[in-house]
Amino acid sequence: MTDSLYALLESRFPADRSKPLLETEDGTTVTYADAEALAARMARALSDRGVTKGDRVAVQVDKSPEALILYLACLRAGFVFLPMNTAYRPDEVDYLVGNAEPAAVVCRPDDEATVRDIAAKHGSPHVLTLGTDGSGSLADAAATAPAAFPVVDCAADDLAAMLYTSGTTGKPKGAMLTHRNLAANGLDLVDSWRFTADDVLLHALPIFHAHGLFVACHCVLLAGASMIWLPGFTREQVVSLLPRATTFMGVPTFYTRLLGGTDFNRAACASMRLFTAGSAPLLAETHEAFQARTGHAILERYGMTETGMLTGNPYDGERRPGSVGFPFPQVEVRIADEQDRPLGTDEIGGIQVRGPNIMKGYWKLPEKTAEEFTADGWFRTGDVGRIDDRDYLFIVGRAKDLVISGGYNVYPKEVESVIDDLPGVVESAVIGVPHPDFGEGVVAVVVPAGDGAPDEAVVIAHCKDHLANYKTPKRVFFVPELPRNTMGKVQKAQLREEHAGVFGG
Ligand code: MCA
Ligand code: AMP
């Protein structure tokens, strides 16, 4: 028996494959049969170009039905799907392609020339394109390929996907996710959240991250359900389409934006049975305002790229504002001290996790992988929390230097390196401070070298050239020196306090 995730998904597709898998905003329907056939054609097209099982396929394309089907094609053929944020700049794509050594890169038609240069530099043999309307050289190749390609046998431990997450070192690391990791987590979620074939998920998340791709799509695919497939989150569109949906998943920014107009109310949510939130902390006040407005208690859950979903508030039972609930069925969670000793009720410590959902490791970084696991096999999340006497987990902080802005992770070290490269900059410290829309907003505090130092606009423009726009500081402040403790460590807590009101948050 194969452990291919594709085989598992396929075994749960509806018997009647003419059922819609998704419908787009313009009313185009993609049935399960369409998706299976196109996945087979795309797998064949890539395979004909020499891509084989275990090869990485790096993808930076806008969200479209075909983009999702490309993921299915890779699963089907045993290729390792490597999605990239569409906001990544060429420098960031260059690093990922150089590190992952993909056998093929699929990009937006407009980016083809740049991506060809990057791929050539790193010896990646094939560049194909895929546009939002499903056109491009991948689509052309798939159109002439036969709609038949076997579901390639995969072991539980074979890689299904690789998602890059940054880190305190500043360079992104590839989290290797296996067929078992994704299958185990998907099955936990589809059961815990009671997905059935009758569900319609309104899908407004990007699909280059775990939330939009795995959490959302696997629930739908494993239930044989349907989606309304939006290219991204637009408040008006979501409010107008919710009456046709039963479920919705979002980052907290989606929910604060929805609450921003009175047209979002009980009537708009009349057909809904479940709203889930995650990727960043959902403020208790947002949870409460949402419940007061709609009658629905958002189900907040907690996860990571490296681990999939870890805990969630209960489907039945109290969904507590400020808590991320209980471990999913196959997941174990403990709070531990600095020596990895388990702590008791309400004691604050590092959140450590274990289960079939935890990644195999970081790509080509065995030492870094080893550092993230304890001697007894628990993964250190880098989040700090406590478990109360009712077993609810509360996240109280982060041990890692990380900013989460609108659900996207920004690693200060990466931004600081880019700013420090500017002539006229001695050093910089990047922090996150409360932001009314994005939860946290990125701020840079820069020590200028004196004459010839850049101003705020220059720092921002330089960052935009080299970094995805959401990583770019929204404000830059100049100081003669950074506050340090006696060990010489920059006091970011002090900087966060000093700049707490910058965005009026
Ligand atoms: C856009 N901008 C942002 C962000 N998004 N700035 C800070 N943080 C952001 N997240 C800026 C752009 O740089 C641009 O600025 C301006 O806002 C408008 O850009 P636009 O693309 O039009 O913005 P938007 O469409 O309104 O996007 C906001 C968004 C989006 C819808 C909240 O960020 C989003 O879809 N976030 C979801 C993130 C997500 O899926 N995370 C899951 C990670 P300028 O004009 O200056 O260039 S997975 C994960 O974390 C784990 C596994 C988990 O637990 O889920
Ligand atoms: P990523 O690396 O993008 O997968 O981000 C994972 C991180 O997002 C976690 O380690 C947490 O710090 C944060 N996160 C995810 N869900 C939540 C949540 N519900 N509440 C607070 N933080 C969260």
Side-chain angles (χ1 to χ4, degrees):
M1 213 195 80
T2 179
D3 286 303
S4 155
L5 172 61
Y6 189 89
L8 171 70
L9 297 175
E10 194 183 37
S11 72
R12 316 223 347 180
F13 286 172
D16 176 4
R17 299 285 214 266
S18 66
K19 176 175 179 174
L21 165 60
L22 58 85
E23 190 188 316
T24 61
E25 51 187 339
D26 68 4
T28 306
T29 294
V30 176
T31 65
Y32 275 87
D34 295 335
E36 276 188 301
L38 185 56
R41 289 179 193 279
M42 284 183 173
R44 167 67 63 198
L46 289 165
S47 163
D48 284 350
R49 277 154 188 77
V51 183
T52 57
K53 183 182 163 187
D55 284 344
R56 276 75 56 217
V57 176
V59 178
Q60 189 188 34
V61 299
D62 290 322
K63 186 174 171 186
S64 67
E66 291 77 12
L68 172 63
I69 295 170
L70 175 56
Y71 166 59
L72 295 176
C74 290
L75 287 181
R76 181 173 186 132
F79 309 150
V80 182
F81 187 72
L82 192 174
M84 294 186 277
N85 193 313
T86 47
Y88 286 164
R89 306 286 298 145
D91 285 2
E92 295 162 301
V93 174
D94 185 295
Y95 182 79
L96 264 52
V97 169
N99 188 257
E101 301 172 295
V105 186
V106 184
C107 67
R108 292 171 281 211
D110 286 352
D111 297 340
E112 186 174 0
T114 312
V115 172
R116 277 199 184 281
D117 287 346
I118 293 171
K121 177 175 155 194
H122 298 293
S124 276
H126 300 289
V127 174
L128 295 125
T129 61
L130 185 62
T132 33
D133 58 355
S135 63
S137 58
L138 174 62
D140 294 344
T144 54
F149 192 86
V151 177
V152 169
D153 186 24
C154 289
D157 213 26
D158 286 341
L159 298 195
M162 193 151 88
L163 269 61
Y164 276 75
T165 81
S166 272
T168 38
T169 50
K171 282 293 175 203
K173 307 183 293 282
M176 298 187 288
L177 299 167
T178 64
H179 287 258
R180 179 204 286 120
N181 294 154
L182 299 180
N185 211 232
L187 290 169
D188 265 3
L189 298 182
V190 76
D191 290 345
S192 301
W193 294 344
R194 315 271 169 90
F195 269 80
T196 72
D198 293 333
D199 273 309
V200 178
L201 174 82
L202 180 56
H203 194 300
L205 286 158
I207 55 164
F208 41 71
H209 278 310
H211 195 167
L213 185 61
F214 304 143
V215 181
C217 296
H218 290 170
C219 280
V220 168
L221 291 161
L222 286 167
S226 300
M227 292 184 269
I228 303 172
W229 191 249
L230 299 181
F233 178 88
T234 327
R235 187 185 177 283
E236 293 64 33
Q237 215 172 17
V238 168
V239 172
S240 77
L241 289 168
L242 270 176
R244 292 180 42 210
T246 61
T247 50
F248 182 76
M249 298 184 186
V251 297
T253 299
F254 288 12
Y255 291 111
T256 48
R257 287 188 182 183
L258 284 173
L259 286 168
T262 50
D263 54 347
F264 181 66
N265 49 33
R266 276 174 197 260
C269 300
S271 62
M272 292 294 292
R273 68 168 185 87
L274 179 65
F275 290 91
T276 69
S279 306
L282 182 75
L283 294 179
E285 66 198 55
T286 310
H287 188 288
E288 284 152 7
F290 195 93
Q291 189 156 18
R293 180 85 68 84
T294 66
H296 285 274
I298 298 172
L299 188 158
E300 185 177 7
R301 64 22 169 217
Y302 157 57
M304 282 181 83
T305 301
E306 289 93 328
T307 64
M309 298 302 102
L310 296 165
T311 69
N313 275 278
Y315 192 84
D316 295 320
E318 192 188 354
R319 300 180 193 163
R320 288 170 71 189
S323 168
V324 290
F326 312 122
F328 287 111
Q330 299 182 69
V331 182
E332 290 174 88
V333 176
R334 73 178 186 188
I335 305 293
D337 68 11
E338 305 235 311
Q339 282 73 47
D340 300 324
R341 287 177 304 221
L343 293 171
T345 302
D346 275 329
E347 289 187 298
I348 292 176
I351 302 175
Q352 300 186 348
V353 296
R354 205 159 65 167
N357 50 309
I358 313 294
M359 66 161 182
K360 190 169 178 173
Y362 292 114
W363 175 251
K364 293 199 289 197
L365 291 171
E367 295 85 14
K368 187 72 201 158
T369 303
E371 271 173 34
E372 302 302 327
F373 286 88
T374 66
D376 52 349
W378 293 75
F379 178 74
R380 304 176 213 276
T381 61
D383 294 308
V384 176
R386 70 179 168 89
I387 296 176
D388 77 359
D389 56 358
R390 293 168 59 197
D391 291 336
Y392 280 86
L393 174 65
F394 289 80
I395 299 174
V396 301
R398 291 176 209 139
K400 51 196 174 191
D401 190 12
L402 161 70
V403 179
I404 306 184
S405 176
Y408 287 139
N409 287 7
V410 181
Y411 284 85
K413 183 86 183 92
E414 188 181 5
V415 185
E416 289 159 7
S417 308
V418 168
I419 297 175
D420 294 352
D421 278 348
L422 258 180
V425 168
V426 177
E427 62 173 345
S428 60
V430 166
I431 51 171
V433 300
H435 189 287
D437 187 27
F438 295 123
E440 290 181 301
V442 178
V443 166
V445 183
V446 174
V447 179
D451 289 349
D455 62 12
E456 179 171 24
V458 170
V459 174
I460 289 177
H462 174 72
C463 288
K464 282 196 171 177
D465 278 347
H466 297 278
L467 294 168
N469 52 14
Y470 65 88
K471 299 180 189 172
T472 295
K474 301 213 179 290
R475 289 301 314 270
V476 181
F477 297 94
F478 295 88
V479 294
E481 60 183 27
L482 296 175
R484 292 181 189 276
N485 66 10
T486 48
M487 310 288 286
K489 194 170 178 291
V490 175
Q491 296 299 282
K492 290 205 166 174
Q494 182 181 330
L495 289 175
R496 279 193 287 269
E497 219 168 278
E498 284 168 13
H499 295 89
V502 167
F503 300 116

